[in-house]
Amino acid sequence: MVVSTGRLALLDAAEELIAHRGIHGVSAREVVKAAGQRNNSAVAYHFGSWHGLLDAVWTRHAPRVNAERAALVDAARLDTPPRLERLVFAYVHPLTTEVARGRPSYWARFNEQWLAVAPLEFLTVPAANASRADYYPTDESLAVLTSLFEAIVHSLELAEAEAQRRVGLTVRFVIGSYAAWERAHDVGEAPELGAFESEIVDLACAMLRVPGR
């Protein structure tokens, strides 16, 4: 399928604006203006709705990220049981790959802004009547992540509820760290990304292994 330049410009503008100002800090009209389009209904025309635009931002990243992550998870499961370091690497490394693709990257900051409005317990899509963000990515885009997070939860020597909370907090740490890397990169002050990834994996594993209370 050929992606129109108008549609692509809207995706670029939405991702950058939301990365800087948050999902609730940007309007569809602002995205249209930043994309250089004159039709104020362009978001509805191309994506159906604001949530449709958010889904489209997710899904232009998700196939690449999910394919790499799924392969790493499969490799990690060759160990019985899977080692925590390999599971954490399976989460972190595809993020490194996707951030490295950006010129510049806004992907970690986009994720950070979504997490800012998501509930503390965000590892599975909540029921409609539960405490939740007003936007969740499509179930399909979360399936690989959910499977990986469950594997990490089961690898921890913690009660399940505590393990789930620990994984959720660690994810926020990882995403926030990569968002900070993106900001540093914008001004030419970011560390080398491979060394940064190694440090984040080590720190994330240490956080997950802190004994329960």
Side-chain angles (χ1 to χ4, degrees):
M1 181 181 71
V2 176
V3 179
S4 72
T5 56
R7 178 183 171 91
L8 184 59
L10 289 167
L11 289 171
D12 287 340
E15 186 168 342
E16 181 176 354
L17 287 173
I18 291 169
H20 287 305
R21 292 162 48 191
I23 287 175
H24 294 155
V26 179
S27 69
R29 186 181 295 268
E30 288 175 304
V31 170
V32 170
K33 182 178 179 180
Q37 300 196 30
R38 298 178 181 178
N39 180 2
N40 288 329
S41 300
V43 169
Y45 174 78
H46 286 286
F47 306 102
S49 67
W50 176 250
H51 282 191
L53 171 60
L54 296 178
D55 269 339
V57 173
W58 280 102
T59 55
R60 76 169 176 167
H61 293 274
R64 292 190 299 265
V65 173
N66 285 342
E68 183 175 21
R69 189 164 279 148
L72 291 171
V73 171
D74 287 344
R77 284 177 170 157
L78 295 175
D79 296 339
T80 307
R83 290 189 297 113
L84 179 62
E85 286 80 5
R86 294 190 69 178
L87 292 172
V88 170
F89 182 79
Y91 173 63
V92 173
H93 186 66
L95 180 59
T96 302
T97 302
E98 198 64 14
V99 166
R101 289 173 58 90
R103 299 286 189 273
S105 172
Y106 300 102
W107 180 231
R109 283 174 280 185
F110 182 90
N111 279 266
E112 181 184 50
Q113 294 290 0
W114 177 74
L115 284 172
V117 297
L120 182 61
E121 303 293 344
F122 68 91
L123 298 186
T124 57
V125 178
N129 61 350
S131 173
R132 58 169 295 158
D134 62 5
Y135 168 74
Y136 262 80
T138 57
D139 292 348
E140 292 81 4
S141 70
L142 292 178
V144 173
L145 263 182
T146 299
S147 175
L148 173 56
F149 291 157
E150 287 175 352
I152 295 174
V153 164
H154 293 151
S155 74
L156 303 179
E157 296 180 0
L158 297 168
E160 184 168 357
E162 186 175 2
Q164 288 177 340
R165 185 169 59 253
R166 185 75 58 82
V167 171
L169 292 171
T170 302
V171 166
R172 291 176 188 273
F173 159 73
V174 171
I175 293 298
S177 297
Y178 273 83
W181 187 94
E182 287 180 343
R183 295 184 188 99
H185 186 266
D186 286 351
V187 296
E189 297 177 355
E192 192 275 322
L193 193 52
F196 182 81
E197 174 188 85
S198 296
E199 185 175 14
I200 294 301
V201 170
D202 289 345
L203 290 170
C205 288
M207 290 176 65
L208 290 166
R209 286 193 170 110
V210 172
R213 296 184 180 276

